[in-house]
Amino acid sequence: MAPNQMPEKDLLLLGYIESSPIPAFIIGNDHRVVNWNRALEKLSRIPAREIIGTNRHWRAFYSRERPCMADLLVDGALRDLKTWYVGKIRKSDLIEDAYEATDFFPDLEESGRWLRFTAAAIRDPSGKVIGAVETLEDITERKLAEAALQESEKRLFRVIDRSPIPAFVIGKDHRVLYWNRALEHLSKIPASEIIGTSDHWRAFYLEKRPCLADLLVDGAFRKIPRFYARKFGKSSLHEGAYEATDFFPDLGEKGRWLHFTAALVRDSRQRLAGAIETLEDITERKLAEAELFKAREELEIRVIERTAELAYVNTALQAELRKRMQVETTLEQTMNRLSLILESLPIISFTCKADGSLDISFVSSTIEDITGFSSRQFLENPLFWQDHIHPEDRQKVLPEMRVGLKKRDYHKCSYRFRIKDDSFRWFSDYRKLISLPDGTVHVVGALQDVTEDKRIRQEAELRLQQMIQSHKLTALGEVVAGVAHEINNPISFISYNIPMLEQIWDTIDPLLAEAGVAHPEWKRKGLDYSEVSASMREIIAAFQAASARISRVVTSLKEFAISDDTAQKRPVKIAEIIQGALTIVASQVRKTVSQINQNIEENLPQFQGYPQRIEQVIANLLINAHQSIPAGRKGRISISARMIERLGAVLIEIEDNGKGMERAVLDKIFNPFFTTRRDSGGTGLGLSISYGLVKEHSGTIGILSRPGLGSRFSIYLPVGKGTKLSIYPAILCVDSDPRFLKEIKTNLVDSISWPARAKDGVNDIVSYLRDHPEVDIVMAEIDLPAFSGWELLRKVKETFPLLPVVLYSKDPDSFEPNRIETGRKDPDLAPDLLLKRPFSFEQLQKKIHEIGRQRL
């Protein structure tokens, strides 16, 4: 019958069976399956669509075809039920004319299942069988639990039987269930005579009376004192158990002392099942106690005799004990103070094995304050410390440490250590071998975080070099002033007397001419006085030119060495100063320069100074830029001026595309008398004088030069009164990995970190560089969130041609600048340094040294 043709109550029944959590199926009188519910699908793992309409429901339970219980009910073959389910079937107590059975089905799931199944015939209103329903209950877990319980009981009674402690178990009917071998040996009564009887009292008493286990089974707790007065008590080990001690004169030849314990036995539902009583033969202990009591009496007598002798000794010992306690108290206080000092100091104390493994065996709790890691992490993982040393340092430090401790009893080193936030810190590590009185050797050591000390030393070295240069120039200024003074007097004398010499020669020249013509010796030798006169005048002219040149040099030396504070300061307008300098040198500069670009901000603030001297500085730098342009190159000079608000200073930059300067030249560029154009008349005083004039205005002058590319001079002039400039070269590092930025900061002390985010653009970096002209190197990861390192390279090179750019990446595929902005490859787009991560910072520092830094 189709579902849409069934009566409503039958549909409800089918719906109930389908949603029931109990596996079930229904067959018609033709044995074809009408319903196969979801619970049975899950149990049998056979979907309903494969079974409904077929008579193959046996597949769910058996490996070959055979009738199920529902099939037998449909056929009315009730006699065959006992044939197919021998000893497993019975009529249902709940449903009339229904049958139920329990069986194991080995083909269900991997290891088979135990099922309890019930089948009932389905009849129409006239009583005719029209089908059958069969329900199944998975009782595998219950069966396994019952089997485990039976096995547990067997093991329990085997344990009782083999226990060396005499014991017996009675049921709630007082009949003996177990009588173990130890009790057989103690009572001399075999278990075969006792088990199944209630005669267990025979083992202990001459007349019948209850044992302690009997009283517990009857719940007669009030009768216990009657049979065991002053001999019993509640057990301290087992709740609800009682124990007692008594002498049994009929046990053995001379009787035995027994300590016995009785406890109730309950089943899994906490129903009373009986009682167990264990007995412990304590006869030997009782005899020993008697002997001990006797010995104690004798000892007490001896103690009384010795008390007087020990009184004196006791007094002495008490005094010694007080002294020892004082020493121990002092020692404990000292140890506490030492521990407090060690825990308070910013030092990590530790011990490690001396077998070459360097495994840490103890580390102080200060390790967590300094590194963020707990001491437990170092102790549980022997390689934890080694794994957190920087890979570059690890290859060097560990072998040297092992060798160093073998050659001598101490070793000292420093290395970078990765702490919990993934940044690296510099640690100073000191270790020493010590030998203990027991002959064992250990390594004790101390770690100290010296990151700040190292950074301060690096900064100090950088500042020291700058200060040495400044003091060097100051000292040179003093020397130059002395030299100028020493030269000035004799050169003044020469300059003053040359006109007198010229006048004297003008006076005596005609006289000597007449005398020379008439003099017989001149005639005899054929001398021409006109040549002598011309030579003399040439010599006088040479004296004049040389003295003038020396005077100019002396004047320049004085200007370099001495600030003319007597001159009146006035407001300086940078735009006018630059235009004035260009007017002075324009004709000379344009011999080699075809393009002069100007970018002067409007409304630049004025400052008090000496306009002519600033103009002289700019003119000197323009002349230098012009002279650096090699023959045949299309020369270009850019001059710009802008306000750097954060420094409170005006920045003037003069950049050329000349031949640039090597590092050796840059180191001496501001030294007096140093010049690379001595053959063409250079004195080496132009830049040194410019340096002094800028310093006179409390400013700073710097230079960034790249051989073959050009040079850029930067003049910083403070605007506010009393403003002090403190600027140093810096490296801008752009990366999206904050951990790597921290590692860079640890190794490059003058680095500035830029954590790249998705909202950052290339123009943001360029704006930062404009506002931070002290940045002389840009480092960037190629794969950044918002833009590529290649895009940054292009923009930086367009805006700052002389600024070195270092690119790096973990992925070598990123090293090819594929189609950036213009949609084509640019063969000239190349960074000054291209690195694959991870790279050695030591090698990076060498490369940066080779590239060269800005002089400030």
Side-chain angles (χ1 to χ4, degrees):
M1 182 180 293
N4 56 6
Q5 298 174 340
M6 288 184 177
E8 184 178 354
K9 63 178 183 178
D10 292 341
L11 288 173
L12 289 174
L13 175 61
L14 283 176
Y16 170 76
I17 293 174
E18 180 65 25
S19 60
S20 172
I22 300 172
F25 67 92
I26 301 174
I27 61 173
N29 54 11
D30 59 354
H31 297 277
R32 294 184 181 275
V33 177
V34 176
N35 180 270
W36 189 269
N37 74 353
R38 295 175 187 173
L40 185 52
E41 280 186 321
K42 183 177 180 182
L43 175 66
S44 65
R45 298 185 180 177
I46 300 175
R49 65 177 180 273
E50 293 183 8
I51 293 294
I52 292 177
T54 74
N55 57 2
R56 295 175 58 81
H57 45 284
W58 56 268
R59 288 174 47 208
F61 315 105
Y62 308 105
S63 59
R64 56 187 178 181
E65 185 174 359
R66 56 157 285 182
C68 295
M69 190 185 291
D71 294 297
L72 297 173
L73 293 185
V74 166
D75 293 339
L78 301 181
R79 293 182 178 180
D80 292 340
L81 286 173
K82 294 183 180 180
T83 303
W84 288 103
Y85 301 98
V86 179
K88 304 173 184 176
I89 192 165
R90 66 184 182 89
K91 275 195 170 186
S92 173
D93 297 331
L94 302 176
I95 304 171
E96 187 177 358
D97 293 335
Y99 290 86
E100 58 184 33
T102 300
D103 203 357
F104 181 72
F105 294 85
D107 299 315
L108 271 178
E109 298 188 358
E110 294 180 1
S111 55
R113 307 298 292 177
W114 280 93
L115 298 181
R116 182 175 178 271
F117 45 102
T118 302
I122 302 175
R123 301 177 185 273
D124 61 10
S126 64
K128 180 182 178 182
V129 175
I130 61 172
V133 60
E134 186 167 336
T135 61
L136 305 106
E137 180 185 0
D138 187 347
I139 60 170
T140 306
E141 300 302 325
R142 186 195 309 168
K143 280 289 187 179
L144 293 176
E146 290 175 355
L149 180 61
Q150 291 175 359
E151 181 60 28
S152 176
E153 290 177 352
K154 290 178 181 179
R155 284 199 301 269
L156 174 63
F157 288 117
R158 281 200 299 270
V159 169
I160 293 173
D161 189 53
R162 297 174 183 177
S163 172
I165 299 173
F168 65 91
V169 178
I170 61 172
K172 57 184 179 180
D173 59 355
H174 299 277
R175 294 185 179 276
V176 177
L177 300 176
Y178 290 94
W179 187 271
N180 74 353
R181 297 177 187 178
L183 186 53
E184 280 185 327
H185 179 74
L186 175 67
S187 65
K188 308 300 183 188
I189 299 175
S192 58
E193 293 183 10
I194 292 293
I195 292 177
T197 73
S198 57
D199 295 338
H200 46 284
W201 57 268
R202 289 172 45 204
F204 314 105
Y205 309 106
L206 295 177
E207 297 178 357
K208 185 175 182 179
R209 54 158 285 181
C211 296
L212 188 57
D214 295 300
L215 296 173
L216 294 187
V217 166
D218 292 339
F221 301 104
R222 293 183 179 180
K223 292 182 179 180
I224 295 176
R226 174 183 166 188
F227 293 98
Y228 300 100
R230 297 182 183 179
K231 302 175 184 179
F232 79 98
K234 285 189 175 183
S235 174
S236 59
L237 299 177
H238 304 285
E239 186 177 357
Y242 286 82
E243 57 186 25
T245 300
D246 202 356
F247 181 72
F248 295 85
D250 300 312
L251 269 178
E253 296 179 1
K254 299 181 180 180
R256 309 297 292 175
W257 280 94
L258 297 181
H259 177 80
F260 44 101
T261 303
L264 291 174
V265 177
R266 298 182 185 275
D267 61 15
S268 59
R269 298 182 183 179
Q270 295 300 308
R271 294 177 301 187
L272 179 65
I276 182 172
E277 186 168 335
T278 61
L279 306 105
E280 181 185 0
D281 187 347
I282 59 171
T283 306
E284 301 301 327
R285 186 199 308 170
K286 282 289 186 179
L287 294 176
E289 287 176 357
E291 292 293 329
L292 183 62
F293 181 77
K294 182 179 178 181
R296 181 179 176 183
E297 289 181 341
E298 295 176 355
L299 183 60
E300 286 179 353
I301 296 172
R302 294 183 60 190
V303 166
I304 293 172
E305 295 174 352
R306 294 290 304 275
T307 299
E309 298 177 10
L310 294 175
Y312 176 79
V313 176
N314 182 57
T315 303
L317 287 175
Q318 288 292 337
E320 184 179 349
L321 182 61
R322 284 194 295 271
K323 289 182 181 179
R324 182 175 297 178
M325 290 179 64
Q326 290 175 353
V327 171
E328 289 178 354
T329 302
T330 304
L331 180 60
E332 184 179 0
Q333 291 174 349
T334 303
M335 291 295 292
N336 290 337
R337 281 195 291 267
L338 286 174
S339 298
L340 182 61
I341 291 171
L342 279 175
E343 295 296 331
S344 302
L345 290 174
I347 294 175
I348 302 165
S349 56
F350 65 91
T351 62
C352 65
K353 297 179 181 178
D355 57 2
S357 65
L358 303 177
D359 293 349
I360 292 178
S361 53
F362 163 79
V363 64
S364 64
S365 59
T366 51
I367 190 76
E368 187 163 3
D369 297 332
I370 295 176
T371 67
F373 297 119
S374 65
S375 55
R376 179 175 53 81
Q377 291 174 275
F378 287 83
L379 299 177
E380 290 179 353
N381 182 2
L383 298 177
F384 189 82
W385 165 73
Q386 299 181 28
D387 290 343
H388 283 70
I389 297 176
H390 195 286
E392 294 177 13
D393 298 336
R394 188 188 309 143
Q395 298 174 2
K396 179 182 178 183
V397 168
L398 297 181
E400 288 183 355
M401 190 176 290
R402 292 186 177 97
V403 173
L405 289 172
K406 284 183 179 179
K407 289 184 177 179
R408 54 186 182 275
D409 62 353
Y410 68 92
H411 181 75
K412 187 175 183 181
C413 62
S414 61
Y415 48 81
R416 288 163 290 180
F417 188 87
R418 179 164 56 83
I419 62 176
K420 193 168 187 178
D421 65 0
D422 285 326
S423 64
F424 282 92
R425 307 288 294 177
W426 279 98
F427 277 6
S428 175
D429 187 320
Y430 180 82
R431 298 170 183 243
K432 185 175 178 64
L433 284 171
I434 61 168
S435 298
L436 298 180
D438 60 1
T440 58
V441 179
H442 296 269
V443 176
V444 297
L447 294 174
Q448 185 175 7
D449 186 346
V450 295
T451 307
E452 289 304 312
D453 294 343
K454 201 166 188 70
R455 183 185 63 79
I456 291 170
R457 281 200 298 272
Q458 289 177 348
E459 288 184 354
E461 289 175 5
L462 182 62
R463 308 296 179 262
L464 179 62
Q465 293 302 320
Q466 294 170 338
M467 190 166 60
I468 288 172
Q469 180 66 19
S470 177
H471 286 194
K472 181 179 176 183
L473 291 173
T474 302
L476 281 171
E478 295 176 0
V479 172
V480 165
V483 170
H485 179 74
E486 292 298 325
I487 295 175
N488 192 50
N489 289 335
I491 202 63
S492 296
F493 175 77
I494 293 171
S495 299
Y496 177 76
N497 285 291
I498 285 176
M500 292 181 62
L501 177 62
E502 188 175 15
Q503 290 177 6
I504 292 172
W505 180 253
D506 288 341
T507 302
I508 66 172
D509 183 38
L511 299 176
L512 291 175
E514 291 178 6
V517 172
H519 199 282
E521 188 66 24
W522 283 52
K523 289 181 179 181
R524 186 176 66 80
K525 293 183 178 180
L527 296 175
D528 185 357
Y529 179 74
S530 63
E531 295 179 2
V532 175
S533 177
S535 297
M536 187 64 181
R537 290 193 180 279
E538 288 177 2
I539 292 171
I540 292 172
F543 282 168
Q544 288 175 332
S547 64
R549 180 175 175 79
I550 294 172
S551 295
R552 287 197 302 273
V553 171
V554 169
T555 301
S556 296
L557 289 173
K558 287 181 177 179
E559 288 178 349
F560 169 76
I562 303 173
S563 297
D564 185 7
D565 295 330
T566 60
Q568 189 68 33
K569 288 185 177 181
R570 61 186 177 87
V572 177
K573 296 181 179 180
I574 293 298
E576 292 181 1
I577 295 298
I578 292 174
Q579 294 305 319
L582 285 171
T583 301
I584 294 171
V585 301
S587 59
Q588 185 177 357
V589 167
R590 291 196 184 279
K591 293 178 183 179
T592 59
V593 176
S594 60
Q595 183 181 354
I596 299 178
N597 300 321
Q598 297 185 55
N599 184 12
I600 315 298
E601 281 186 3
E602 296 182 358
N603 302 320
L604 284 172
Q606 301 179 23
F607 62 92
Q608 293 296 114
Y610 306 102
Q612 290 182 348
R613 298 178 188 180
I614 300 299
E615 185 178 283
Q616 180 184 349
V617 172
I618 296 173
N620 280 344
L621 297 180
L622 287 171
I623 293 295
N624 268 357
H626 136 70
Q627 292 173 342
S628 71
I629 307 295
R633 177 178 292 185
K634 187 177 180 180
R636 184 187 72 251
I637 293 178
S638 299
I639 181 167
S640 65
R642 63 183 185 274
M643 180 65 188
I644 307 296
E645 296 292 346
R646 67 184 186 86
L647 298 177
V650 172
L651 171 63
I652 305 169
E653 292 181 316
I654 298 172
E655 185 174 324
D656 62 70
N657 65 338
K659 58 186 178 183
M661 289 175 271
E662 300 288 346
R663 181 178 178 83
V665 174
L666 283 176
D667 290 340
K668 304 174 183 177
I669 193 70
F670 294 119
N671 291 359
F673 307 113
F674 176 77
T675 179
T676 58
R677 297 181 292 102
R678 194 169 301 281
D679 294 341
S680 56
T683 63
L685 291 173
L687 287 178
S688 60
I689 290 171
S690 298
Y691 178 89
L693 293 177
V694 173
K695 284 293 184 185
E696 187 178 351
H697 286 78
S698 302
T700 297
I701 185 170
I703 178 172
L704 175 64
S705 187
R706 305 288 305 282
L709 298 178
S711 302
R712 184 186 74 195
F713 282 89
S714 304
I715 304 168
Y716 300 83
L717 296 170
V719 174
K721 192 173 182 180
T723 301
K724 291 185 178 180
L725 294 177
S726 179
I727 50 176
Y728 305 98
I731 301 173
L732 180 63
C733 303
V734 184
D735 201 308
S736 59
D737 185 353
R739 294 178 298 178
F740 190 62
L741 286 174
K742 288 179 181 179
E743 187 174 358
I744 292 176
K745 187 66 179 175
T746 301
N747 293 275
L748 302 177
V749 69
D750 53 353
S751 64
I752 300 172
S753 298
W754 182 294
R757 301 162 296 180
K759 65 179 182 179
D760 294 335
V762 173
N763 290 330
D764 296 323
I765 308 293
V766 172
S767 298
Y768 184 88
L769 293 174
R770 287 186 184 279
D771 196 44
H772 294 76
E774 69 271 21
V775 173
D776 58 359
I777 292 179
V778 176
M779 285 183 62
E781 163 67 46
I782 293 178
D783 300 314
L784 294 169
F787 54 87
S788 166
W790 294 105
E791 295 178 57
L792 178 62
L793 170 66
R794 179 185 297 280
K795 192 67 175 179
V796 169
K797 290 299 183 181
E798 287 175 357
T799 314
F800 310 100
L802 301 181
L803 200 60
V805 177
V806 178
L807 296 182
Y808 58 86
S809 176
K810 293 180 180 178
D811 183 9
D813 293 338
S814 303
F815 289 175
E816 182 66 27
N818 293 322
R819 302 183 182 278
I820 301 170
E821 295 178 356
T822 60
R824 58 182 177 81
K825 291 187 178 180
D826 186 352
D828 296 328
L829 187 67
D832 295 86
L833 192 59
L834 187 61
L835 300 172
K836 181 181 182 303
R837 281 186 60 186
F839 49 78
S840 166
F841 281 99
E842 185 177 352
Q843 294 299 322
L844 175 62
Q845 288 171 337
K846 289 181 181 179
K847 291 292 184 183
I848 290 175
H849 182 78
E850 292 172 5
I851 292 173
R853 302 295 300 275
Q854 181 177 199
R855 282 286 307 277
L856 274 173

